[in-house]
């Protein structure tokens, strides 16, 4: 049984940094892709960043370019999202997701097979 568990969210001031972690148990596959999505109240769940199964390829939506870094440690079955220079508009529930076929990057929520329960990130002004 595949499970994803996020950690690292919290309440911070604008300009601060946070590091989110997602631990994957019950390995989804040999080359599973990973991503971080976020969902603010009343809005759709949007991709923040994605990483391929090998870790060689990454993708960032504009909101995260230059501020966020996605990384993975396959030996620890873990993926992280380092977030710097946080803004109030980054406030959302952040979800990690796993795609069984992760040889190439996946950009849409429906392409991901497993989801974590989410972790709240709140950035105060």
């Amino acid at each position: 049984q595949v499970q994803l568990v996020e950690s690292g969210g919290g309440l911070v001031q604008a300009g601060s940094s946070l590091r989110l972690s997602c631990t994957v148990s019950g390995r989804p596959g040999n080359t599973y892709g990973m991503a971080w999505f976020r969902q603010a109240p009343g809005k759709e769940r949007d991709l923040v960043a994605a990483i391929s199964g090998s870790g060689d390829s990454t993708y960032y939506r504009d909101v995260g370019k230059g501020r966020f870094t996605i990384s993975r440690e396959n030996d620890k079955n873990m993926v992280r999202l380092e977030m710097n220079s946080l803004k109030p508009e980054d406030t959302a529930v952040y979800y990690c997701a796993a795609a069984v076929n992760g040889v190439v990057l996946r950009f849409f929520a429906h392409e991901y097979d497993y989801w974590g329960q989410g972790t709240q990130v709140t950035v105060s002004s």
Side-chain angles (χ1 to χ4, degrees), residues 74-118:
N74 286 343
D75 57 339
K76 297 181 180 178
N77 290 335
M78 183 174 291
V79 64
R80 292 190 172 89
L81 184 68
E82 190 80 34
M83 303 187 293
N84 299 313
S85 302
L86 283 163
K87 306 174 183 179
E89 50 264 45
D90 293 319
T91 295
V93 177
Y94 284 70
Y95 298 89
C96 72
V100 172
N101 185 350
V103 175
V104 296
L105 292 170
R106 304 294 178 183
F107 303 110
F108 301 101
H110 71 264
E111 297 181 288
Y112 286 84
D113 305 287
Y114 303 98
W115 293 84
Q117 81 288 351

Side-chain angles (χ1 to χ4, degrees), residues 13 15 21 28 33 37-38 43 60 71 76 86 91 99 108 124:
Q13 290 187 330
S21 298
F37 286 76
R38 71 184 186 186
K43 296 188 177 181
Y60 299 91
S71 61
K76 297 181 180 178
L86 283 163
T91 295
F108 301 101
S124 64

